[in-house]
Amino acid sequence: MVEQVGLVLEGGGMRGVYTAGILEYFLEQELFFPYVIGVSAGACNAASYLSKQKGRNKLVTIEYASDPRYISWRNYFKNRQFFGMDFIFDEIPNQHVPYHYDVFYNSPTEFVVGTTDCMTGSPVYFNKQDYGDHLLTVLRASSSLPFIAPEVQFQNKVLLDGGISDPIPIKKAQIDGFKKNIVILTRNEGYLKKPSKFHFLVDRKYPKFKGLQQSLRKRYQTYNDTVAYLEEEEKAGNVLIIRPTEPLKVGRMERDPQKLEELYNQGYADAKKSMANIHQYIQS
C-alpha cells in the first residue's frame, strides 16, 4: 500500500475502458492507494480494482458492450435509459459476474464516489461510512447521465452524474488530506469542453432542478478550469497525470468491442510505460 498518495479518476462513459486498462496493470503489480476518488465510469472501474477482481472490468465493459441490455436504443425507447441501469448495477454484479463485496469492504482503502445534487447543482461525495451496504446505489447515481438515465434518490437527495459538478475531483482529494495525487484522465492532452447549445432542453426536462440547470450551464467552464488547475499542480509536482497518448476513437456511448479493446490495451500499455515515473513520484 502506497502511503499518502491519492488516486483520482475521471469519468467519461465508455471511454472509461482506458482507466480500466490502467487499473488492471496496477492490480497485477499490486499497486494500491490509501485513498481513491472517482466519478461515473471512473468510480465503477475503481470498484472492481478495489475488489481485486482481475479481468472483471474488461469482461463487464467490453464483453457486454454489444449486449442490448447493457447499452442500446431499445433500452432508451423502452425505459428512457440508454444504458440498462438495472442490468448494469444489479443483474451483472449479483448474477452474471459476481462482485466480491467481502474483498472490497475489507480493503483498507477509503473509496469516495462523487455525485451531483439535482436541487443545488453541487457535488455530493459519499465515502464508505456514508454508503455502507449501498455501494451500487451511489455508483449508479454517479453514472446516471442527464436525459439518458433517471435520477437516483438516496439519503433524502436526488442525484445524477458526478461528472456534472466535479468532473475530476482533485480538490476534494486535497481537502481530504492527500497533497499528492495520481490522476487518470480519459481525454487527450489539449482537450477542452465547449459550451452546450441545448440549455432550453435542460430547462424543459428538469424544470424543478434550478441548481442542476446552473451546473449544466457552467459544466464546460468547470471542466476547463479543473484541467488548467491540474496542469498547474503537475508543474508544481503535486500531481502526476496519466491520460490517453493516442488520439481517441471511442465516444461516451461506444459499442464496438474492437475499439473498446484497443483503448483498454492503450491504458494498460500507458500504465506499464508510466510505472518508473509513478514509483519515482511516490517516493519523491
Side-chain angles (χ1 to χ4, degrees):
M1 174 77 73
V2 172
E3 293 300 322
Q4 293 309 308
V5 177
L7 181 63
V8 179
L9 308 172
E10 183 180 9
M14 302 304 276
R15 287 193 306 274
V17 296
Y18 176 76
T19 303
I22 289 175
L23 295 180
E24 187 69 15
Y25 189 74
F26 285 2
L27 193 49
E28 287 176 8
Q29 300 300 307
E30 297 190 354
L31 178 62
F32 294 101
F33 300 84
Y35 178 95
V36 177
I37 184 168
V39 297
S40 196
C44 293
N45 284 310
S48 292
Y49 160 67
L50 293 171
S51 67
K52 300 187 179 181
Q53 290 176 262
K54 287 181 184 171
R56 187 178 189 277
N57 278 327
K58 186 177 186 182
L59 177 63
V60 167
T61 309
I62 298 173
E63 298 294 319
Y64 278 95
S66 52
D67 188 317
R69 294 172 296 175
Y70 190 97
I71 178 172
S72 67
W73 283 108
R74 188 184 84 177
N75 283 336
Y76 186 74
F77 293 127
K78 190 177 172 186
N79 302 313
R80 286 290 177 263
Q81 303 177 19
F82 198 70
F83 290 91
M85 302 302 271
D86 289 338
F87 183 67
I88 294 169
F89 293 102
D90 182 8
E91 216 174 300
I92 290 178
N94 294 320
Q95 295 175 39
H96 304 303
V97 192
Y99 185 68
H100 293 176
Y101 295 98
D102 55 337
V103 178
F104 172 80
Y105 283 108
N106 285 325
S107 164
T109 296
E110 176 62 275
F111 178 42
V112 182
V113 180
T115 66
T116 298
D117 184 321
C118 294
M119 296 304 292
T120 65
S122 301
V124 181
Y125 310 97
F126 297 95
N127 59 28
K128 276 184 175 174
Q129 190 176 345
D130 299 323
Y131 52 73
D133 295 337
H134 300 285
L135 169 65
L136 293 177
T137 304
V138 296
L139 289 176
R140 179 176 183 149
S142 185
S143 306
S144 291
L145 300 168
F147 293 100
I148 62 171
E151 305 91 85
V152 173
Q153 302 216 2
F154 183 63
Q155 294 184 353
N156 300 317
K157 287 183 167 56
V158 183
L159 305 168
L160 276 174
D161 169 36
I164 298 168
S165 55
D166 193 5
I168 312 158
I170 176 62
K171 289 185 180 177
K172 171 62 175 167
Q174 292 173 332
I175 288 166
D176 284 349
F178 290 84
K179 303 304 177 197
K180 292 180 68 175
N181 292 278
I182 292 171
V183 180
I184 300 177
L185 304 182
T186 55
R187 291 285 196 177
N188 296 122
E189 187 170 4
Y191 171 81
L192 292 174
K193 275 195 191 302
K194 297 187 174 84
S196 168
K197 297 173 183 170
F198 300 104
H199 296 310
F200 66 97
L201 290 176
V202 171
D203 296 351
R204 191 183 300 169
K205 171 75 172 168
Y206 301 106
K208 292 187 294 186
F209 299 142
K210 302 298 182 189
L212 179 67
Q213 291 174 18
Q214 285 300 110
S215 206
L216 283 166
R217 272 183 169 77
K218 62 180 187 181
R219 183 180 190 178
Y220 80 99
Q221 196 64 57
T222 303
Y223 186 87
N224 296 346
D225 289 348
T226 304
V227 170
Y229 177 75
L230 274 173
E231 288 173 350
E232 287 302 311
E233 286 293 276
E234 187 177 44
K235 284 178 195 163
N238 299 327
V239 160
L240 175 66
I241 298 173
I242 306 174
R243 57 181 149 203
T245 48
E246 301 293 321
L248 280 168
K249 298 174 188 169
V250 165
R252 186 182 282 276
M253 309 295 182
E254 186 60 63
R255 295 185 62 204
D256 183 332
Q258 187 177 339
K259 284 185 182 176
L260 291 167
E261 183 140 11
E262 283 172 7
L263 186 55
Y264 177 91
N265 291 338
Q266 188 191 144
Y268 186 92
D270 284 351
K272 199 171 183 177
K273 279 187 283 193
S274 301
M275 216 54 191
N277 285 345
I278 289 169
H279 283 304
Q280 188 178 2
Y281 175 73
I282 288 167
Q283 287 157 14
S284 65

